[in-house]
Protein backbone atom coordinates (compact mmCIF):
# COMPACT_ATOMS: atom_id res chain seq x y z
CA UNK A 1 0.00 0.00 0.00
CA UNK A 2 1.12 3.56 -0.67
CA UNK A 3 1.46 5.44 2.60
CA UNK A 4 0.73 9.15 2.67
CA UNK A 5 3.23 11.30 4.47
CA UNK A 6 2.76 14.60 6.20
CA UNK A 7 0.94 17.30 4.24
CA UNK A 8 3.91 19.61 4.46
CA UNK A 9 6.18 17.35 2.42
CA UNK A 10 8.17 18.83 -0.42
CA UNK A 11 6.47 18.78 -3.82
CA UNK A 12 7.87 16.95 -6.81
CA UNK A 13 9.43 19.13 -9.49
CA UNK A 14 7.17 17.98 -12.32
CA UNK A 15 8.84 19.95 -15.08
CA UNK A 16 12.30 18.61 -14.27
CA UNK A 17 11.10 15.02 -14.12
CA UNK A 18 9.05 15.34 -17.31
CA UNK A 19 12.07 16.78 -19.13
CA UNK A 20 14.24 13.95 -17.84
CA UNK A 21 11.70 11.36 -18.97
CA UNK A 22 11.43 12.99 -22.40
CA UNK A 23 15.22 12.81 -22.78
CA UNK A 24 15.18 9.18 -21.69
CA UNK A 25 12.44 8.36 -24.21
CA UNK A 26 14.35 10.10 -27.00
CA UNK A 27 17.47 8.07 -26.15
CA UNK A 28 15.42 4.88 -26.01
CA UNK A 29 13.97 5.52 -29.46
CA UNK A 30 17.45 6.17 -30.86
CA UNK A 31 18.89 3.07 -29.23
CA UNK A 32 15.95 0.84 -30.26
CA UNK A 33 16.20 -1.81 -27.53
CA UNK A 34 13.25 -1.98 -25.15
CA UNK A 35 13.70 -0.77 -21.58
CA UNK A 36 11.34 -3.44 -20.33
CA UNK A 37 12.91 -6.21 -18.33
CA UNK A 38 11.15 -8.84 -20.34
CA UNK A 39 7.71 -10.35 -20.61
CA UNK A 40 5.03 -9.09 -18.23
CA UNK A 41 3.96 -12.66 -17.75
CA UNK A 42 6.18 -13.01 -14.70
CA UNK A 43 4.36 -10.16 -12.99
CA UNK A 44 2.92 -12.44 -10.37
CA UNK A 45 6.37 -13.01 -8.83
CA UNK A 46 6.50 -10.52 -5.96
CA UNK A 47 10.11 -11.35 -5.16
CA UNK A 48 11.57 -9.70 -8.23
CA UNK A 49 13.38 -6.39 -8.09
CA UNK A 50 11.04 -3.44 -7.81
CA UNK A 51 11.06 0.16 -6.74
CA UNK A 52 9.47 1.07 -3.41
CA UNK A 53 6.38 3.20 -3.82
CA UNK A 54 7.80 6.42 -2.47
CA UNK A 55 6.05 8.79 -4.85
CA UNK A 56 6.08 12.40 -3.70
CA UNK A 57 2.61 13.88 -3.48
CA UNK A 58 3.03 17.36 -4.88
CA UNK A 59 2.01 18.21 -8.46
CA UNK A 60 3.42 21.71 -8.69
CA UNK A 61 5.09 23.58 -11.49
CA UNK A 62 8.07 25.88 -10.98
CA UNK A 63 7.20 29.12 -9.30
CA UNK A 64 4.23 27.81 -7.32
CA UNK A 65 4.19 28.49 -3.61
CA UNK A 66 4.67 25.80 -0.99
CA UNK A 67 1.07 26.33 0.11
CA UNK A 68 -0.13 25.44 -3.39
CA UNK A 69 1.95 22.27 -3.18
CA UNK A 70 0.30 21.34 0.08
CA UNK A 71 -3.16 22.04 -1.35
CA UNK A 72 -2.54 19.56 -4.16
CA UNK A 73 -2.07 16.66 -1.75
CA UNK A 74 -4.70 14.03 -1.15
CA UNK A 75 -6.89 14.89 1.78
CA UNK A 76 -6.48 12.60 4.75
CA UNK A 77 -4.66 12.18 8.01
CA UNK A 78 -0.95 11.53 8.31
CA UNK A 79 0.03 7.90 7.99
CA UNK A 80 -3.13 6.93 6.15
CA UNK A 81 -2.69 3.94 3.83
CA UNK A 82 -4.11 4.07 0.33
CA UNK A 83 -3.35 2.43 -2.99
CA UNK A 84 -1.17 4.18 -5.54
CA UNK A 85 -4.10 4.28 -7.98
CA UNK A 86 -6.41 5.93 -5.47
CA UNK A 87 -3.68 8.37 -4.43
CA UNK A 88 -2.92 9.32 -8.03
CA UNK A 89 -6.56 9.81 -9.08
CA UNK A 90 -7.16 12.09 -6.10
CA UNK A 91 -4.32 14.47 -6.85
CA UNK A 92 -5.41 17.96 -7.79
CA UNK A 93 -5.64 18.14 -11.58
CA UNK A 94 -6.36 14.41 -11.98
CA UNK A 95 -10.13 14.72 -11.56
CA UNK A 96 -10.66 13.45 -15.12
CA UNK A 97 -9.17 10.04 -14.26
CA UNK A 98 -11.22 7.17 -12.91
CA UNK A 99 -9.71 4.36 -10.84
CA UNK A 100 -8.76 1.41 -13.04
CA UNK A 101 -9.51 -2.01 -11.55
CA UNK A 102 -6.33 -3.82 -10.54
CA UNK A 103 -7.72 -7.02 -12.08
CA UNK A 104 -7.78 -5.23 -15.43
CA UNK A 105 -4.18 -4.11 -15.03
CA UNK A 106 -3.01 -7.59 -14.01
CA UNK A 107 -4.38 -9.11 -17.23
CA UNK A 108 -1.45 -9.12 -19.67
CA UNK A 109 -3.82 -9.05 -22.65
CA UNK A 110 -5.02 -5.56 -21.68
CA UNK A 111 -1.45 -4.24 -21.61
CA UNK A 112 -0.39 -5.59 -24.99
CA UNK A 113 2.10 -3.29 -26.73
CA UNK A 114 2.66 -0.91 -23.81
CA UNK A 115 6.02 -2.35 -22.73
CA UNK A 116 7.66 -0.89 -25.85
CA UNK A 117 6.19 2.57 -25.23
CA UNK A 118 7.01 3.08 -21.55
CA UNK A 119 10.55 3.16 -20.11
CA UNK A 120 11.14 1.19 -16.91
CA UNK A 121 7.91 -0.62 -17.78
CA UNK A 122 8.01 -3.43 -15.23
CA UNK A 123 9.17 -1.15 -12.42
CA UNK A 124 6.42 1.35 -13.24
CA UNK A 125 3.84 -1.45 -13.31
CA UNK A 126 4.95 -2.70 -9.91
CA UNK A 127 4.61 0.80 -8.53
CA UNK A 128 1.06 1.10 -9.84
CA UNK A 129 0.10 -2.28 -8.34
CA UNK A 130 1.80 -1.51 -5.00
CA UNK A 131 4.20 -4.43 -5.32
CA UNK A 132 7.05 -3.61 -2.95
CA UNK A 133 10.54 -5.00 -2.48
CA UNK A 134 13.49 -4.30 -0.22
CA UNK A 135 15.82 -4.19 -3.23
CA UNK A 136 14.56 -0.91 -4.67
CA UNK A 137 17.40 1.09 -3.14
CA UNK A 138 19.71 0.14 -6.01
CA UNK A 139 18.22 2.97 -8.05
CA UNK A 140 19.54 6.52 -7.86
CA UNK A 141 17.19 9.36 -6.95
CA UNK A 142 17.01 10.38 -10.60
CA UNK A 143 16.11 6.84 -11.68
CA UNK A 144 13.40 6.66 -9.00
CA UNK A 145 11.94 9.89 -10.32
CA UNK A 146 11.98 8.47 -13.85
CA UNK A 147 10.14 5.37 -12.61
CA UNK A 148 7.56 7.53 -10.89
CA UNK A 149 7.00 9.57 -14.03
CA UNK A 150 6.89 6.39 -16.13
CA UNK A 151 4.22 5.00 -13.78
CA UNK A 152 2.05 8.03 -14.45
CA UNK A 153 2.56 7.60 -18.18
CA UNK A 154 1.77 3.88 -18.04
CA UNK A 155 -1.34 4.42 -15.93
CA UNK A 156 -2.56 7.03 -18.40
CA UNK A 157 -2.16 4.70 -21.38
CA UNK A 158 -3.91 1.88 -19.49
CA UNK A 159 -6.66 4.31 -18.51
CA UNK A 160 -7.33 5.18 -22.15
CA UNK A 161 -8.08 1.49 -22.80
CA UNK A 162 -10.01 0.86 -19.60
CA UNK A 163 -12.55 3.66 -20.14
CA UNK A 164 -13.71 1.93 -23.33
CA UNK A 165 -14.78 -1.16 -21.36
CA UNK A 166 -18.18 -1.54 -19.70
CA UNK A 167 -16.73 -1.01 -16.21
CA UNK A 168 -14.69 1.96 -17.35
CA UNK A 169 -17.67 3.59 -19.06
CA UNK A 170 -19.76 3.09 -15.91
CA UNK A 171 -17.05 4.74 -13.79
CA UNK A 172 -16.86 7.69 -16.17
CA UNK A 173 -20.66 7.94 -16.17
CA UNK A 174 -20.61 8.70 -12.45
CA UNK A 175 -18.02 11.42 -12.99
CA UNK A 176 -20.07 12.84 -15.87
CA UNK A 177 -23.16 13.03 -13.65
CA UNK A 178 -21.12 14.87 -11.04
CA UNK A 179 -19.86 17.39 -13.65
CA UNK A 180 -16.26 16.36 -12.89
CA UNK A 181 -15.28 17.07 -16.50
CA UNK A 182 -16.65 20.59 -16.48
CA UNK A 183 -19.34 22.34 -18.50
CA UNK A 184 -19.35 23.77 -22.00
CA UNK A 185 -18.25 27.45 -22.00
CA UNK A 186 -20.53 28.24 -24.96
CA UNK A 187 -23.44 30.43 -23.83
CA UNK A 188 -26.13 28.71 -25.89
CA UNK A 189 -25.13 25.28 -24.59
CA UNK A 190 -26.51 26.37 -21.20
CA UNK A 191 -23.93 24.63 -19.03
CA UNK A 192 -23.98 21.30 -20.86
CA UNK A 193 -21.71 18.72 -19.09
CA UNK A 194 -18.67 17.79 -21.16
CA UNK A 195 -16.47 14.73 -21.64
CA UNK A 196 -12.65 14.49 -21.85
CA UNK A 197 -11.15 13.76 -25.26
CA UNK A 198 -7.73 13.58 -26.88
CA UNK A 199 -6.93 14.97 -30.30
CA UNK A 200 -4.53 12.08 -30.85
CA UNK A 201 -4.02 8.55 -29.52
CA UNK A 202 -0.26 9.06 -29.65
CA UNK A 203 1.46 9.99 -26.40
CA UNK A 204 2.88 13.52 -26.12
CA UNK A 205 0.99 14.77 -29.18
CA UNK A 206 -1.49 17.12 -27.49
CA UNK A 207 -3.10 17.87 -24.16
CA UNK A 208 -6.58 16.76 -23.11
CA UNK A 209 -9.60 18.80 -24.22
CA UNK A 210 -13.27 18.66 -23.22
CA UNK A 211 -15.92 17.69 -25.77
CA UNK A 212 -19.40 19.18 -25.62
CA UNK A 213 -22.07 16.70 -26.77
CA UNK A 214 -24.46 19.58 -27.52
CA UNK A 215 -22.46 21.79 -29.88
CA UNK A 216 -20.05 18.94 -30.74
CA UNK A 217 -16.97 21.10 -30.38
CA UNK A 218 -13.90 20.86 -28.15
CA UNK A 219 -12.53 23.32 -25.61
CA UNK A 220 -9.62 23.72 -23.22
CA UNK A 221 -10.31 22.63 -19.63
CA UNK A 222 -10.78 25.52 -17.23
CA UNK A 223 -8.18 24.25 -14.77
CA UNK A 224 -4.53 24.78 -15.65
CA UNK A 225 -3.72 21.53 -13.87
CA UNK A 226 -6.12 19.50 -16.01
CA UNK A 227 -4.92 21.34 -19.10
CA UNK A 228 -1.46 19.79 -18.71
CA UNK A 229 -2.70 16.19 -18.91
CA UNK A 230 -1.79 14.21 -22.03
CA UNK A 231 -4.75 13.75 -24.38
CA UNK A 232 -3.65 10.20 -25.18
CA UNK A 233 -4.69 9.20 -21.65
CA UNK A 234 -8.31 9.54 -22.82
CA UNK A 235 -7.98 8.98 -26.55
CA UNK A 236 -10.04 10.11 -29.51
CA UNK A 237 -12.77 7.46 -29.16
CA UNK A 238 -14.01 7.78 -25.59
CA UNK A 239 -16.66 10.55 -25.70
CA UNK A 240 -18.28 9.12 -28.82
CA UNK A 241 -18.29 5.57 -27.44
CA UNK A 242 -19.75 6.97 -24.21
CA UNK A 243 -22.64 8.68 -26.02
CA UNK A 244 -23.29 5.59 -28.14
CA UNK A 245 -23.49 3.47 -24.98
CA UNK A 246 -25.63 5.95 -23.06
CA UNK A 247 -27.71 7.22 -25.95
CA UNK A 248 -30.30 8.78 -23.64
CA UNK A 249 -27.69 11.27 -22.44
CA UNK A 250 -27.08 12.73 -25.87
CA UNK A 251 -28.61 16.22 -25.90
CA UNK A 252 -30.36 17.99 -28.75
CA UNK A 253 -28.27 20.43 -30.73
CA UNK A 254 -28.70 24.07 -29.66
CA UNK A 255 -31.38 25.94 -31.59
CA UNK A 256 -29.81 29.36 -31.04
CA UNK A 257 -26.59 30.84 -32.27
CA UNK A 258 -24.96 34.18 -31.80
CA UNK A 259 -25.59 36.75 -34.56
CA UNK A 260 -23.14 39.70 -34.82
CA UNK A 261 -24.87 43.08 -35.03
CA UNK A 262 -23.83 46.72 -35.42
CA UNK A 263 -26.36 49.19 -34.02
CA UNK A 264 -28.92 46.39 -34.10
CA UNK A 265 -28.33 45.50 -37.77
CA UNK A 266 -27.02 42.11 -38.87
CA UNK A 267 -23.65 42.13 -40.55
CA UNK A 268 -23.65 41.09 -44.20
CA UNK A 269 -21.19 38.40 -45.11
CA UNK A 270 -18.85 39.31 -48.00
Amino acid sequence: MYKQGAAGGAGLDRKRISDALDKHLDKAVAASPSTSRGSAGARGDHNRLVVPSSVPKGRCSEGESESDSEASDVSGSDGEDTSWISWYCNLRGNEFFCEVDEDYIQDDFNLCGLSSQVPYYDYALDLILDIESSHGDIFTEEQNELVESAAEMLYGLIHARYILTSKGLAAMLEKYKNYDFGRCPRVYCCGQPCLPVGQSDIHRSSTVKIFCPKCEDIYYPRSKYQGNIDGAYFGTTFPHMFLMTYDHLKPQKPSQRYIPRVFGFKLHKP
Side-chain angles (χ1 to χ4, degrees):
M1 303 295 286
Y2 175 73
K3 191 170 185 177
Q4 291 177 224
L12 179 63
D13 187 342
R14 283 287 154 201
K15 186 175 185 301
R16 179 168 60 84
I17 293 180
S18 295
D19 291 344
L21 181 61
D22 289 345
K23 291 179 181 179
H24 183 90
L25 288 170
D26 292 339
K27 290 179 181 178
V29 171
S32 271
S34 171
T35 54
S36 171
R37 290 181 296 124
S39 171
R43 192 171 306 122
D45 183 4
H46 289 203
N47 295 322
R48 62 200 175 107
L49 187 60
V50 295
V51 178
S53 31
S54 56
V55 187
K57 301 185 298 307
R59 175 179 273 276
C60 300
S61 58
E62 293 179 350
E64 285 189 287
S65 66
E66 186 175 344
S67 60
D68 287 339
S69 173
E70 294 174 9
S72 68
D73 291 343
V74 181
S75 60
S77 60
D78 295 348
E80 180 182 350
D81 286 340
T82 185
S83 67
W84 185 94
I85 294 174
S86 179
W87 166 82
Y88 180 70
C89 291
N90 281 282
L91 286 176
R92 187 169 78 175
N94 286 357
E95 294 84 1
F96 286 6
F97 289 99
C98 70
E99 294 191 18
V100 179
D101 283 348
E102 289 193 5
D103 290 341
Y104 181 88
I105 300 176
Q106 290 171 348
D107 188 337
D108 293 340
F109 178 78
N110 298 325
L111 310 184
C112 181
L114 295 183
S115 62
S116 60
Q117 300 181 45
V118 181
Y120 298 99
Y121 172 81
D122 286 326
Y123 298 110
L125 187 59
D126 287 346
L127 183 58
I128 292 173
L129 294 174
D130 299 306
I131 300 175
E132 299 182 4
S133 172
S134 59
H135 302 290
D137 54 0
I138 66 166
F139 277 157
T140 64
E141 181 180 354
E142 182 181 359
Q143 286 176 319
N144 274 313
E145 290 177 346
L146 286 171
V147 171
E148 291 156 8
S149 190
E152 296 184 14
M153 175 182 173
L154 177 58
Y155 184 81
L157 296 176
I158 295 173
H159 181 269
R161 299 181 178 188
Y162 178 72
I163 59 177
L164 300 181
T165 67
S166 57
K167 285 187 176 181
L169 287 167
M172 297 297 270
L173 174 61
E174 292 303 313
K175 301 181 78 66
Y176 176 79
K177 290 179 177 178
N178 293 329
Y179 307 101
D180 288 351
F181 308 128
R183 299 172 182 264
C184 180
R186 187 175 181 271
V187 172
Y188 292 118
C189 285
C190 304
Q192 168 66 39
C194 293
L195 294 162
V197 66
Q199 292 177 272
S200 172
D201 294 311
I202 301 174
H203 179 56
R204 296 190 297 170
S205 294
S206 64
T207 57
V208 68
K209 307 298 186 298
I210 55 173
F211 170 79
C212 174
K214 199 165 190 175
C215 64
E216 298 185 338
D217 208 345
I218 60 174
Y219 303 90
Y220 287 101
R222 294 188 64 179
S223 169
K224 65 179 180 180
Y225 300 100
Q226 296 166 345
N228 291 328
I229 299 173
D230 198 305
Y233 298 166
F234 300 89
T236 58
T237 301
F238 166 68
H240 316 297
M241 176 74 77
F242 181 90
L243 294 171
M244 288 173 62
T245 304
Y246 304 108
D247 186 65
H248 63 284
L249 295 177
K250 191 170 185 178
Q252 294 182 345
K253 292 186 177 181
S255 57
Q256 293 177 291
R257 66 182 183 88
Y258 176 73
I259 300 175
R261 296 176 184 271
V262 174
F263 298 118
F265 296 98
K266 296 181 182 179
L267 296 179
H268 291 285
K269 294 182 180 180

